[in-house]
Amino acid sequence: MERLWAPWRMEYIVNDKPSGCIFCVPATPEEDRERFILHRTDLSFVMLNRYPYTNGHLLIAPCRHTADMNELGDAEMLDLFATMRLCRNVLQETAAPEGFNAGINMGRAAGAGVDEHIHLHIVPRWNGDTNFMSVLSDVRVMPENLAATYDRLYLAFRTVLG
Ligand SMILES: [Zn+2]
């Protein structure tokens, strides 16, 4: 269980809190690349995690700012889960992971780095990646690598969506 929840704890430890809510994004896509937004629906969007646990760690958030699942309507809930499935399919196509973790941290006590705007994590996993990450745990992921990952996944979303 410790290892299963490590990705969420990671976010809590390293997130260096920009001012404002990072999940309240402009309605128009001009800043999508600098914000690492990969895909949008009418109700939610997909963002590359700047502090990935593994390469391809994605975040899915409703467009509406809320911390409370009870504030989300049925259409928003369905859209979040359908978008998570799309992310799973894109990651499967591009990175051929051997498994996934997906989940939501609700509240600081649960490891949420941003606890005021609910968001879902999906993390591709490979056998042995926890060992690899623990060895490299002091190494920050370079922005160049994130940009390259963003460009690759941006194309992959378009390919999978046809
Ligand atoms: Zn927000």
Side-chain angles (χ1 to χ4, degrees):
M1 288 308 287
E2 181 75 12
R3 286 187 173 180
L4 180 65
W5 294 103
W8 326 138
R9 204 177 56 217
M10 186 82 171
E11 178 196 21
Y12 180 67
I13 293 166
V14 301
N15 201 340
D16 53 6
K17 308 297 182 298
S19 61
C21 177
I22 64 162
F23 295 112
C24 283
V25 301
T28 52
E30 284 78 15
E31 296 175 14
D32 278 6
R33 193 165 192 279
E34 64 193 80
R35 289 174 180 271
F36 292 121
I37 294 170
L38 286 159
H39 174 67
R40 292 167 177 265
T41 72
D42 290 342
L43 298 173
S44 65
F45 62 92
V46 179
M47 181 186 282
L48 192 64
N49 191 341
R50 289 163 194 268
Y51 307 101
Y53 180 71
T54 67
N55 205 24
H57 181 166
L58 304 182
L59 305 172
I60 304 148
C63 297
R64 201 149 58 89
H65 181 91
T66 180
D68 185 354
M69 284 186 92
N70 295 300
E71 293 288 317
L72 297 173
D74 289 350
E76 288 171 305
M77 296 280 281
L78 179 61
D79 193 79
L80 282 174
F81 219 73
T83 303
M84 184 185 78
R85 178 175 60 186
L86 171 65
C87 290
R88 178 259 171 225
N89 291 341
V90 167
L91 292 167
Q92 190 67 55
E93 281 290 315
T94 55
E98 294 164 303
F100 295 91
N101 291 117
I104 304 176
N105 303 331
M106 284 178 258
R108 287 293 159 102
V114 177
D115 64 351
E116 74 271 18
H117 190 141
I118 201 163
H119 56 283
L120 201 151
H121 294 252
I122 182 165
V123 182
R125 301 298 303 268
W126 291 265
N127 290 315
D129 61 14
T130 46
N131 299 334
F132 176 73
M133 288 303 291
S134 63
V135 168
L136 297 180
S137 61
D138 294 339
V139 178
R140 287 288 293 272
V141 175
M142 294 289 107
E144 290 83 354
N145 294 348
L146 278 180
T149 300
Y150 176 85
D151 289 342
R152 189 167 52 80
L153 286 173
Y154 186 89
L155 287 175
F157 269 90
R158 271 81 216 154
T159 302
V160 168
L161 288 166

